[in-house]
mmCIF file of all heavy atoms in Angstrom:
data_model
loop_
_atom_site.group_PDB
_atom_site.id
_atom_site.type_symbol
_atom_site.label_atom_id
_atom_site.label_comp_id
_atom_site.label_asym_id
_atom_site.label_seq_id
_atom_site.Cartn_x
_atom_site.Cartn_y
_atom_site.Cartn_z
ATOM 1 N N GLU A 159 6.643 8.835 -0.080
ATOM 2 C CA GLU A 159 7.118 8.429 -1.398
ATOM 3 C C GLU A 159 8.399 9.178 -1.778
ATOM 4 O O GLU A 159 9.316 8.587 -2.338
ATOM 5 C CB GLU A 159 6.029 8.676 -2.436
ATOM 6 C CG GLU A 159 4.829 7.771 -2.283
ATOM 7 C CD GLU A 159 3.767 8.001 -3.337
ATOM 8 O OE1 GLU A 159 3.949 8.930 -4.141
ATOM 9 O OE2 GLU A 159 2.781 7.261 -3.355
ATOM 10 N N VAL A 160 8.438 10.484 -1.461
ATOM 11 C CA VAL A 160 9.648 11.256 -1.761
ATOM 12 C C VAL A 160 10.832 10.711 -0.973
ATOM 13 O O VAL A 160 11.949 10.588 -1.485
ATOM 14 C CB VAL A 160 9.415 12.749 -1.439
ATOM 15 C CG1 VAL A 160 10.730 13.518 -1.501
ATOM 16 C CG2 VAL A 160 8.415 13.344 -2.418
ATOM 17 N N ALA A 161 10.583 10.358 0.300
ATOM 18 C CA ALA A 161 11.660 9.825 1.130
ATOM 19 C C ALA A 161 12.181 8.512 0.569
ATOM 20 O O ALA A 161 13.392 8.262 0.542
ATOM 21 C CB ALA A 161 11.159 9.623 2.564
ATOM 22 N N VAL A 162 11.264 7.663 0.103
ATOM 23 C CA VAL A 162 11.681 6.381 -0.468
ATOM 24 C C VAL A 162 12.506 6.604 -1.724
ATOM 25 O O VAL A 162 13.546 5.975 -1.937
ATOM 26 C CB VAL A 162 10.445 5.501 -0.781
ATOM 27 C CG1 VAL A 162 10.839 4.305 -1.624
ATOM 28 C CG2 VAL A 162 9.797 5.042 0.509
ATOM 29 N N GLN A 163 12.037 7.531 -2.569
ATOM 30 C CA GLN A 163 12.754 7.805 -3.813
ATOM 31 C C GLN A 163 14.133 8.403 -3.563
ATOM 32 O O GLN A 163 15.061 8.203 -4.337
ATOM 33 C CB GLN A 163 11.925 8.742 -4.688
ATOM 34 C CG GLN A 163 10.642 8.107 -5.212
ATOM 35 C CD GLN A 163 9.733 9.112 -5.869
ATOM 36 O OE1 GLN A 163 10.058 10.291 -5.963
ATOM 37 N NE2 GLN A 163 8.573 8.653 -6.340
ATOM 38 N N ALA A 164 14.275 9.157 -2.460
ATOM 39 C CA ALA A 164 15.545 9.809 -2.155
ATOM 40 C C ALA A 164 16.576 8.840 -1.583
ATOM 41 O O ALA A 164 17.780 9.109 -1.622
ATOM 42 C CB ALA A 164 15.321 10.953 -1.156
ATOM 43 N N GLU A 165 16.132 7.715 -1.039
ATOM 44 C CA GLU A 165 17.062 6.748 -0.457
ATOM 45 C C GLU A 165 17.813 6.004 -1.551
ATOM 46 O O GLU A 165 17.250 5.642 -2.569
ATOM 47 C CB GLU A 165 16.295 5.741 0.400
ATOM 48 C CG GLU A 165 15.715 6.344 1.666
ATOM 49 C CD GLU A 165 14.937 5.310 2.459
ATOM 50 O OE1 GLU A 165 14.878 4.157 1.996
ATOM 51 O OE2 GLU A 165 14.425 5.674 3.531
ATOM 52 N N PRO A 166 19.109 5.739 -1.359
ATOM 53 C CA PRO A 166 19.845 4.950 -2.346
ATOM 54 C C PRO A 166 19.368 3.508 -2.327
ATOM 55 O O PRO A 166 18.927 3.006 -1.293
ATOM 56 C CB PRO A 166 21.296 5.060 -1.859
ATOM 57 C CG PRO A 166 21.179 5.338 -0.388
ATOM 58 C CD PRO A 166 19.939 6.150 -0.225
ATOM 59 N N PRO A 167 19.428 2.818 -3.450
ATOM 60 C CA PRO A 167 19.002 1.410 -3.477
ATOM 61 C C PRO A 167 19.879 0.561 -2.582
ATOM 62 O O PRO A 167 21.093 0.734 -2.527
ATOM 63 C CB PRO A 167 19.150 1.024 -4.955
ATOM 64 C CG PRO A 167 20.117 2.013 -5.522
ATOM 65 C CD PRO A 167 19.913 3.293 -4.762
ATOM 66 N N ALA A 168 19.247 -0.379 -1.861
ATOM 67 C CA ALA A 168 19.978 -1.214 -0.915
ATOM 68 C C ALA A 168 20.286 -2.573 -1.518
ATOM 69 O O ALA A 168 20.125 -3.601 -0.877
ATOM 70 C CB ALA A 168 19.162 -1.379 0.362
ATOM 71 N N GLY A 169 20.708 -2.621 -2.761
ATOM 72 C CA GLY A 169 21.019 -3.899 -3.381
ATOM 73 C C GLY A 169 20.327 -4.036 -4.720
ATOM 74 O O GLY A 169 19.807 -3.062 -5.262
ATOM 75 N N PRO A 170 20.294 -5.241 -5.258
ATOM 76 C CA PRO A 170 19.748 -5.428 -6.603
ATOM 77 C C PRO A 170 18.243 -5.423 -6.683
ATOM 78 O O PRO A 170 17.693 -5.471 -7.768
ATOM 79 C CB PRO A 170 20.286 -6.816 -6.988
ATOM 80 C CG PRO A 170 20.433 -7.521 -5.674
ATOM 81 C CD PRO A 170 20.853 -6.466 -4.693
ATOM 82 N N ALA A 171 17.537 -5.400 -5.543
ATOM 83 C CA ALA A 171 16.068 -5.447 -5.578
ATOM 84 C C ALA A 171 15.522 -4.212 -6.276
ATOM 85 O O ALA A 171 16.061 -3.114 -6.134
ATOM 86 C CB ALA A 171 15.507 -5.512 -4.159
ATOM 87 N N PRO A 172 14.445 -4.324 -7.061
ATOM 88 C CA PRO A 172 13.867 -3.160 -7.750
ATOM 89 C C PRO A 172 13.295 -2.173 -6.751
ATOM 90 O O PRO A 172 12.838 -2.543 -5.670
ATOM 91 C CB PRO A 172 12.754 -3.775 -8.610
ATOM 92 C CG PRO A 172 12.408 -5.062 -7.924
ATOM 93 C CD PRO A 172 13.680 -5.555 -7.320
ATOM 94 N N ALA A 173 13.302 -0.900 -7.143
ATOM 95 C CA ALA A 173 12.771 0.142 -6.263
ATOM 96 C C ALA A 173 11.259 -0.007 -6.130
ATOM 97 O O ALA A 173 10.556 -0.187 -7.110
ATOM 98 C CB ALA A 173 13.106 1.518 -6.842
ATOM 99 N N THR A 174 10.752 0.038 -4.899
ATOM 100 C CA THR A 174 9.314 -0.054 -4.656
ATOM 101 C C THR A 174 8.929 0.974 -3.610
ATOM 102 O O THR A 174 9.778 1.558 -2.950
ATOM 103 C CB THR A 174 8.905 -1.455 -4.152
ATOM 104 O OG1 THR A 174 9.594 -1.708 -2.918
ATOM 105 C CG2 THR A 174 9.279 -2.536 -5.157
ATOM 106 N N ASP A 175 7.643 1.213 -3.443
ATOM 107 C CA ASP A 175 7.173 2.027 -2.342
ATOM 108 C C ASP A 175 6.243 1.168 -1.496
ATOM 109 O O ASP A 175 6.125 -0.029 -1.721
ATOM 110 C CB ASP A 175 6.504 3.314 -2.839
ATOM 111 C CG ASP A 175 5.363 3.022 -3.797
ATOM 112 O OD1 ASP A 175 4.667 2.005 -3.575
ATOM 113 O OD2 ASP A 175 5.153 3.800 -4.734
ATOM 114 N N ASP A 176 5.599 1.804 -0.520
ATOM 115 C CA ASP A 176 4.769 1.030 0.402
ATOM 116 C C ASP A 176 3.314 0.950 -0.057
ATOM 117 O O ASP A 176 2.464 0.484 0.692
ATOM 118 C CB ASP A 176 4.839 1.625 1.809
ATOM 119 C CG ASP A 176 4.316 3.060 1.864
ATOM 120 O OD1 ASP A 176 3.995 3.615 0.795
ATOM 121 O OD2 ASP A 176 4.243 3.622 2.965
ATOM 122 N N THR A 177 3.026 1.378 -1.280
ATOM 123 C CA THR A 177 1.637 1.432 -1.722
ATOM 124 C C THR A 177 0.987 0.052 -1.725
ATOM 125 O O THR A 177 -0.137 -0.117 -1.248
ATOM 126 C CB THR A 177 1.542 2.058 -3.118
ATOM 127 O OG1 THR A 177 2.226 3.315 -3.128
ATOM 128 C CG2 THR A 177 0.093 2.280 -3.514
ATOM 129 N N LEU A 178 1.692 -0.940 -2.262
ATOM 130 C CA LEU A 178 1.106 -2.283 -2.330
ATOM 131 C C LEU A 178 0.830 -2.824 -0.932
ATOM 132 O O LEU A 178 -0.206 -3.451 -0.693
ATOM 133 C CB LEU A 178 2.042 -3.222 -3.091
ATOM 134 C CG LEU A 178 1.481 -4.613 -3.413
ATOM 135 C CD1 LEU A 178 0.212 -4.502 -4.246
ATOM 136 C CD2 LEU A 178 2.527 -5.445 -4.150
ATOM 137 N N ARG A 179 1.740 -2.563 0.001
ATOM 138 C CA ARG A 179 1.517 -3.006 1.384
ATOM 139 C C ARG A 179 0.274 -2.325 1.966
ATOM 140 O O ARG A 179 -0.522 -2.947 2.667
ATOM 141 C CB ARG A 179 2.741 -2.703 2.249
ATOM 142 C CG ARG A 179 2.528 -3.015 3.733
ATOM 143 C CD ARG A 179 3.820 -2.895 4.525
ATOM 144 N NE ARG A 179 3.562 -2.957 5.952
ATOM 145 C CZ ARG A 179 3.306 -4.057 6.640
ATOM 146 N NH1 ARG A 179 3.246 -5.213 6.003
ATOM 147 N NH2 ARG A 179 3.094 -4.033 7.934
ATOM 148 N N LEU A 180 0.075 -1.047 1.647
ATOM 149 C CA LEU A 180 -1.103 -0.337 2.139
ATOM 150 C C LEU A 180 -2.379 -0.951 1.576
ATOM 151 O O LEU A 180 -3.395 -1.018 2.268
ATOM 152 C CB LEU A 180 -1.010 1.152 1.767
ATOM 153 C CG LEU A 180 0.049 1.969 2.513
ATOM 154 C CD1 LEU A 180 0.094 3.387 1.958
ATOM 155 C CD2 LEU A 180 -0.235 1.993 4.003
ATOM 156 N N TYR A 181 -2.333 -1.401 0.336
ATOM 157 C CA TYR A 181 -3.496 -2.069 -0.243
ATOM 158 C C TYR A 181 -3.873 -3.293 0.598
ATOM 159 O O TYR A 181 -5.045 -3.531 0.894
ATOM 160 C CB TYR A 181 -3.192 -2.526 -1.678
ATOM 161 C CG TYR A 181 -3.488 -1.495 -2.743
ATOM 162 C CD1 TYR A 181 -2.746 -0.328 -2.854
ATOM 163 C CD2 TYR A 181 -4.499 -1.696 -3.667
ATOM 164 C CE1 TYR A 181 -3.003 0.603 -3.839
ATOM 165 C CE2 TYR A 181 -4.774 -0.771 -4.664
ATOM 166 C CZ TYR A 181 -4.021 0.380 -4.738
ATOM 167 O OH TYR A 181 -4.285 1.306 -5.708
ATOM 168 N N PHE A 182 -2.864 -4.071 0.973
ATOM 169 C CA PHE A 182 -3.134 -5.276 1.752
ATOM 170 C C PHE A 182 -3.616 -4.944 3.161
ATOM 171 O O PHE A 182 -4.511 -5.609 3.698
ATOM 172 C CB PHE A 182 -1.875 -6.148 1.827
ATOM 173 C CG PHE A 182 -1.735 -7.090 0.675
ATOM 174 C CD1 PHE A 182 -1.005 -6.736 -0.435
ATOM 175 C CD2 PHE A 182 -2.346 -8.333 0.693
ATOM 176 C CE1 PHE A 182 -0.881 -7.601 -1.511
ATOM 177 C CE2 PHE A 182 -2.236 -9.212 -0.369
ATOM 178 C CZ PHE A 182 -1.495 -8.847 -1.481
ATOM 179 N N LEU A 183 -3.061 -3.914 3.770
ATOM 180 C CA LEU A 183 -3.459 -3.565 5.128
ATOM 181 C C LEU A 183 -4.889 -3.030 5.172
ATOM 182 O O LEU A 183 -5.617 -3.259 6.137
ATOM 183 C CB LEU A 183 -2.488 -2.540 5.720
ATOM 184 C CG LEU A 183 -1.055 -3.039 5.940
ATOM 185 C CD1 LEU A 183 -0.182 -1.937 6.527
ATOM 186 C CD2 LEU A 183 -1.043 -4.261 6.859
ATOM 187 N N CYS A 184 -5.309 -2.332 4.108
ATOM 188 C CA CYS A 184 -6.685 -1.843 4.070
ATOM 189 C C CYS A 184 -7.688 -2.975 3.836
ATOM 190 O O CYS A 184 -8.862 -2.844 4.188
ATOM 191 C CB CYS A 184 -6.845 -0.784 2.965
ATOM 192 S SG CYS A 184 -6.216 0.844 3.415
ATOM 193 N N ALA A 185 -7.214 -4.065 3.237
ATOM 194 C CA ALA A 185 -8.088 -5.227 3.024
ATOM 195 C C ALA A 185 -8.179 -6.011 4.331
ATOM 196 O O ALA A 185 -7.813 -7.182 4.409
ATOM 197 C CB ALA A 185 -7.532 -6.096 1.904
ATOM 198 N N HIS A 186 -8.684 -5.358 5.381
ATOM 199 C CA HIS A 186 -8.654 -5.902 6.740
ATOM 200 C C HIS A 186 -9.591 -7.092 6.886
ATOM 201 O O HIS A 186 -10.687 -7.122 6.310
ATOM 202 C CB HIS A 186 -9.047 -4.807 7.738
ATOM 203 C CG HIS A 186 -8.581 -5.068 9.132
ATOM 204 N ND1 HIS A 186 -9.309 -5.801 10.028
ATOM 205 C CD2 HIS A 186 -7.441 -4.708 9.767
ATOM 206 C CE1 HIS A 186 -8.659 -5.871 11.174
ATOM 207 N NE2 HIS A 186 -7.517 -5.213 11.049
ATOM 208 N N SER A 187 -9.147 -8.074 7.673
ATOM 209 C CA SER A 187 -9.905 -9.313 7.810
ATOM 210 C C SER A 187 -11.260 -9.110 8.477
ATOM 211 O O SER A 187 -12.161 -9.940 8.330
ATOM 212 C CB SER A 187 -9.093 -10.327 8.624
ATOM 213 O OG SER A 187 -8.787 -9.808 9.917
ATOM 214 N N THR A 188 -11.449 -8.009 9.217
ATOM 215 C CA THR A 188 -12.727 -7.773 9.891
ATOM 216 C C THR A 188 -13.776 -7.163 8.972
ATOM 217 O O THR A 188 -14.942 -7.059 9.357
ATOM 218 C CB THR A 188 -12.538 -6.835 11.104
ATOM 219 O OG1 THR A 188 -12.081 -5.560 10.638
ATOM 220 C CG2 THR A 188 -11.538 -7.415 12.088
ATOM 221 N N LEU A 189 -13.357 -6.745 7.770
ATOM 222 C CA LEU A 189 -14.278 -6.065 6.860
ATOM 223 C C LEU A 189 -14.823 -7.037 5.816
ATOM 224 O O LEU A 189 -14.088 -7.886 5.308
ATOM 225 C CB LEU A 189 -13.567 -4.915 6.139
ATOM 226 C CG LEU A 189 -13.098 -3.737 6.983
ATOM 227 C CD1 LEU A 189 -12.304 -2.761 6.121
ATOM 228 C CD2 LEU A 189 -14.277 -3.029 7.629
ATOM 229 N N PRO A 190 -16.103 -6.894 5.450
ATOM 230 C CA PRO A 190 -16.605 -7.638 4.293
ATOM 231 C C PRO A 190 -15.826 -7.216 3.053
ATOM 232 O O PRO A 190 -15.375 -6.072 2.959
ATOM 233 C CB PRO A 190 -18.073 -7.199 4.192
ATOM 234 C CG PRO A 190 -18.400 -6.596 5.515
ATOM 235 C CD PRO A 190 -17.131 -6.037 6.062
ATOM 236 N N PRO A 191 -15.640 -8.123 2.093
ATOM 237 C CA PRO A 191 -14.841 -7.791 0.910
ATOM 238 C C PRO A 191 -15.274 -6.504 0.214
ATOM 239 O O PRO A 191 -14.436 -5.688 -0.173
ATOM 240 C CB PRO A 191 -15.041 -9.014 0.003
ATOM 241 C CG PRO A 191 -15.291 -10.137 0.958
ATOM 242 C CD PRO A 191 -16.083 -9.528 2.089
ATOM 243 N N ALA A 192 -16.592 -6.291 0.043
ATOM 244 C CA ALA A 192 -17.058 -5.090 -0.665
ATOM 245 C C ALA A 192 -16.650 -3.820 0.078
ATOM 246 O O ALA A 192 -16.241 -2.828 -0.534
ATOM 247 C CB ALA A 192 -18.572 -5.132 -0.832
ATOM 248 N N SER A 193 -16.728 -3.844 1.414
ATOM 249 C CA SER A 193 -16.347 -2.677 2.206
ATOM 250 C C SER A 193 -14.844 -2.460 2.163
ATOM 251 O O SER A 193 -14.368 -1.314 2.094
ATOM 252 C CB SER A 193 -16.813 -2.847 3.650
ATOM 253 O OG SER A 193 -18.216 -2.901 3.722
ATOM 254 N N ALA A 194 -14.083 -3.561 2.210
ATOM 255 C CA ALA A 194 -12.624 -3.448 2.155
ATOM 256 C C ALA A 194 -12.177 -2.862 0.825
ATOM 257 O O ALA A 194 -11.284 -2.006 0.771
ATOM 258 C CB ALA A 194 -11.984 -4.819 2.375
ATOM 259 N N VAL A 195 -12.803 -3.290 -0.257
ATOM 260 C CA VAL A 195 -12.468 -2.759 -1.577
ATOM 261 C C VAL A 195 -12.785 -1.272 -1.646
ATOM 262 O O VAL A 195 -11.962 -0.458 -2.092
ATOM 263 C CB VAL A 195 -13.231 -3.517 -2.683
ATOM 264 C CG1 VAL A 195 -13.087 -2.801 -4.023
ATOM 265 C CG2 VAL A 195 -12.720 -4.942 -2.807
ATOM 266 N N ALA A 196 -13.976 -0.891 -1.187
ATOM 267 C CA ALA A 196 -14.379 0.518 -1.237
ATOM 268 C C ALA A 196 -13.440 1.389 -0.424
ATOM 269 O O ALA A 196 -13.020 2.468 -0.862
ATOM 270 C CB ALA A 196 -15.813 0.662 -0.732
ATOM 271 N N LEU A 197 -13.092 0.936 0.789
ATOM 272 C CA LEU A 197 -12.197 1.711 1.650
ATOM 273 C C LEU A 197 -10.822 1.853 1.014
ATOM 274 O O LEU A 197 -10.225 2.948 1.025
ATOM 275 C CB LEU A 197 -12.076 1.031 3.011
ATOM 276 C CG LEU A 197 -11.099 1.687 4.001
ATOM 277 C CD1 LEU A 197 -11.545 3.108 4.327
ATOM 278 C CD2 LEU A 197 -10.998 0.854 5.277
ATOM 279 N N THR A 198 -10.295 0.789 0.434
ATOM 280 C CA THR A 198 -8.967 0.839 -0.170
ATOM 281 C C THR A 198 -8.952 1.750 -1.383
ATOM 282 O O THR A 198 -8.002 2.518 -1.591
ATOM 283 C CB THR A 198 -8.509 -0.576 -0.570
ATOM 284 O OG1 THR A 198 -8.722 -1.470 0.514
ATOM 285 C CG2 THR A 198 -7.034 -0.586 -0.916
ATOM 286 N N LEU A 199 -9.996 1.668 -2.189
ATOM 287 C CA LEU A 199 -10.075 2.549 -3.351
ATOM 288 C C LEU A 199 -10.065 4.017 -2.940
ATOM 289 O O LEU A 199 -9.439 4.850 -3.589
ATOM 290 C CB LEU A 199 -11.344 2.247 -4.146
ATOM 291 C CG LEU A 199 -11.362 0.936 -4.928
ATOM 292 C CD1 LEU A 199 -12.757 0.658 -5.471
ATOM 293 C CD2 LEU A 199 -10.362 0.962 -6.073
ATOM 294 N N ARG A 200 -10.746 4.319 -1.840
ATOM 295 C CA ARG A 200 -10.832 5.707 -1.390
ATOM 296 C C ARG A 200 -9.562 6.156 -0.682
ATOM 297 O O ARG A 200 -9.039 7.237 -0.936
ATOM 298 C CB ARG A 200 -12.038 5.860 -0.436
ATOM 299 C CG ARG A 200 -12.300 7.312 -0.014
ATOM 300 C CD ARG A 200 -12.828 8.129 -1.179
ATOM 301 N NE ARG A 200 -12.886 9.537 -0.866
ATOM 302 C CZ ARG A 200 -11.909 10.394 -1.116
ATOM 303 N NH1 ARG A 200 -10.776 9.980 -1.687
ATOM 304 N NH2 ARG A 200 -12.039 11.670 -0.819
ATOM 305 N N ALA A 201 -9.039 5.300 0.225
ATOM 306 C CA ALA A 201 -7.925 5.715 1.077
ATOM 307 C C ALA A 201 -6.576 5.613 0.377
ATOM 308 O O ALA A 201 -5.684 6.424 0.633
ATOM 309 C CB ALA A 201 -7.912 4.866 2.354
ATOM 310 N N VAL A 202 -6.403 4.630 -0.499
ATOM 311 C CA VAL A 202 -5.097 4.393 -1.113
ATOM 312 C C VAL A 202 -5.146 4.573 -2.625
ATOM 313 O O VAL A 202 -4.230 5.116 -3.222
ATOM 314 C CB VAL A 202 -4.586 2.970 -0.774
ATOM 315 C CG1 VAL A 202 -3.144 2.801 -1.268
ATOM 316 C CG2 VAL A 202 -4.676 2.691 0.717
ATOM 317 N N GLY A 203 -6.244 4.108 -3.241
ATOM 318 C CA GLY A 203 -6.320 4.154 -4.693
ATOM 319 C C GLY A 203 -6.514 5.533 -5.272
ATOM 320 O O GLY A 203 -6.259 5.755 -6.447
#
């Protein structure tokens, strides 16, 4: 997150980090929804 914040903006797009992408990656297709939610809450949330 610090590295992302330290980088200059690369155009007009709003500044973001990779947190939202991590949420999606933890919601893995092999996991039941309840397990995916629990894992994401613990690992990323």
Side-chain angles (χ1 to χ4, degrees):
E159 292 181 356
V160 170
V162 168
Q163 293 170 1
E165 291 179 0
T174 60
D175 56 36
D176 61 355
T177 308
L178 188 59
R179 174 172 170 77
L180 290 175
Y181 271 68
F182 273 93
L183 294 180
C184 282
H186 201 273
S187 59
T188 63
L189 294 175
S193 296
V195 169
L197 176 62
T198 312
L199 288 170
R200 186 70 189 92
V202 187

